[in-house]
Amino acid sequence: MPTPIPLHFSHGNSFPASSYRKFLQHFEAGYDIGYIDTLGHDPRYPVTDCWPGLVEESLDYIARRYREPVIAVGHSLGGFLSFLCAVRRPELFRAVVLLDSPIFCRRVSTLLWLGKRFGFIERLTPGGGSRTRRHEWPSREHAVRHFEGRGMFAGFDPDCLRDYVAAGTVPAGEGVRLRFEREIEYRIYVGLPHDFPRYRGQLKVPTGFIGGNASEYVRPGDIDHMRRHFGILTERFEGGHLFPFEQPAQAADAVKAMLARLGQGGAG
């Protein structure tokens, strides 16, 4: 029987990795799946600007958890971290797939730096609402009804929404609250790296990008930047920024197709 291929998954900001159950189940045959369930919550790895602590947290886990180089699949925050980790320690990786995590061109990176420097970074990221959004409900069922059809959750597969509430809430008093701390979510957003252009020419690991056609975070300039300066293969997916939750089976198929393009097909 073939040895499972190690696959390290990294989640999006505020979405615990275990809430991607329906997406990740499509990799259970042929892959040894590992993840950090809630990035940024270990006080040994504080969340600061450009996320050096999150990179260290991920690299320490990968070096400890796997015995051979991994395929890294990361969504949003997780994709950015997978890229940064692969640049830093390429020997730990055999391939990387970024899910709606565009490696920003110089123009966007400069805008992010200016946002931090002059205090308008909250207008450039979703961080502005992180500290004030509702985070407690009388029950998990109340939480499901709260998110159902609302905002970014409107396109969720129903099972994925329930997985998010099950994995993303913990008991609190007579009800439940979000497991992902709002302050950590906020610090991750406002610390979004603005220095990606400095890594030009440093990516040595085969890497692919899959971006949602309806995602507001995927820009033509970033697509061109990834291709020209990093050699990243790019594909588009019929969905929004949260497409692994919207169409989990199709998203998994797209990842497997990208892995085949990267010379890593055959598992699953």
Side-chain angles (χ1 to χ4, degrees):
M1 188 172 180
T3 303
I5 297 170
L7 187 152
H8 180 72
F9 178 72
S10 299
H11 64 75
N13 192 11
S14 82
F15 294 95
S18 52
S19 66
Y20 292 78
R21 178 195 64 83
K22 197 167 182 178
F23 168 72
L24 291 174
Q25 73 179 10
H26 296 284
F27 298 92
E28 290 174 354
Y31 294 94
D32 171 23
I33 305 168
Y35 52 71
I36 299 170
D37 204 24
T38 50
L39 287 157
H41 287 65
D42 187 330
R44 295 175 298 174
Y45 306 99
V47 182
T48 57
D49 191 34
C50 294
W51 307 338
L54 296 179
V55 173
E56 288 293 341
E57 181 180 18
S58 298
L59 286 173
D60 286 353
Y61 178 90
I62 291 168
R64 186 173 64 249
R65 165 69 170 76
Y66 309 99
R67 296 185 177 181
E68 58 182 290
V70 305
I71 288 172
V73 177
H75 175 226
S76 194
L77 159 69
F80 295 128
L81 287 178
S82 298
F83 170 88
L84 293 169
C85 288
V87 167
R88 175 96 167 270
R89 295 284 305 276
E91 74 278 7
L92 296 179
F93 300 89
R94 56 197 292 172
V96 175
V97 179
L98 315 174
L99 305 180
D100 224 70
S101 311
I103 304 307
F104 303 128
C105 65
R106 188 170 299 279
R107 182 182 64 82
V108 175
S109 297
T110 300
L111 182 61
L112 288 171
W113 178 82
L114 289 170
K116 295 173 184 179
R117 179 72 176 80
F118 294 103
F120 59 89
I121 187 63
E122 291 183 7
R123 289 158 44 194
L124 302 177
T125 75
S130 297
R131 284 172 159 166
T132 58
R133 72 187 183 99
R134 184 174 178 180
H135 70 296
E136 293 183 327
W137 296 269
S139 68
R140 286 196 167 110
E141 195 56 42
H142 280 84
V144 169
R145 291 201 296 270
H146 171 79
F147 290 119
E148 209 164 29
R150 180 188 295 261
M152 64 182 178
F153 297 96
F156 269 42
D157 174 282
D159 292 335
C160 291
L161 180 59
R162 289 192 169 274
D163 287 341
Y164 167 67
V165 171
T169 61
V170 293
E174 298 296 316
V176 298
R177 66 168 174 82
L178 290 178
R179 182 177 170 207
F180 211 97
E181 295 292 338
R182 292 186 298 177
E183 180 62 24
I184 291 173
E185 177 186 343
Y186 172 80
R187 280 187 267 143
I188 289 173
Y189 278 132
V190 299
L192 185 64
H194 60 265
D195 58 353
F196 284 122
R198 68 180 285 212
Y199 299 112
R200 287 179 178 180
Q202 298 184 42
L203 181 63
K204 309 301 182 185
V205 178
T207 299
F209 169 86
I210 304 171
N213 276 337
S215 172
E216 61 187 296
Y217 303 111
V218 180
R219 305 170 183 86
D222 293 328
I223 296 289
D224 182 63
H225 178 250
M226 288 188 283
R227 290 172 176 164
R228 290 175 55 202
H229 297 291
F230 295 101
I232 294 175
L233 301 181
T234 64
E235 293 283 356
R236 300 304 293 270
F237 185 90
E238 291 294 333
H241 178 61
L242 297 174
F243 66 81
F245 293 109
E246 297 167 349
Q247 302 177 69
Q250 295 89 334
D253 287 343
V255 170
K256 292 176 183 178
M258 177 58 77
L259 288 173
R261 288 187 65 190
L262 297 171
Q264 298 295 328

